[in-house]
Amino acid sequence: MLIPIFGLLLGAIFGGLRAKLRGGSALDILQWAAVYALILGTIALFIMIGIDRSYRP
């Protein structure tokens, strides 16, 4: 399933935009994009595991 990949991409976009709007440098933007990507990717992974377990007999 593509839920964790979607979470990674969404987190990277959200983190990068948030750091850019707050006036961060290029390294700040990269760091916050990575942090948010890891956080949302992990949350999306647990959501995918929960969905997968709920549909198994």
Side-chain angles (χ1 to χ4, degrees), residues 15-52:
L17 286 176
R18 186 167 175 177
K20 187 173 184 174
L21 290 175
R22 290 180 179 235
S25 66
L27 291 176
D28 288 332
I29 294 169
L30 287 173
Q31 179 182 4
W32 283 104
V35 167
Y36 273 86
L38 288 173
I39 291 170
L40 288 182
T42 303
I43 291 170
L45 179 66
F46 284 118
I47 290 171
M48 187 189 71
I49 290 170
I51 290 171
D52 190 41

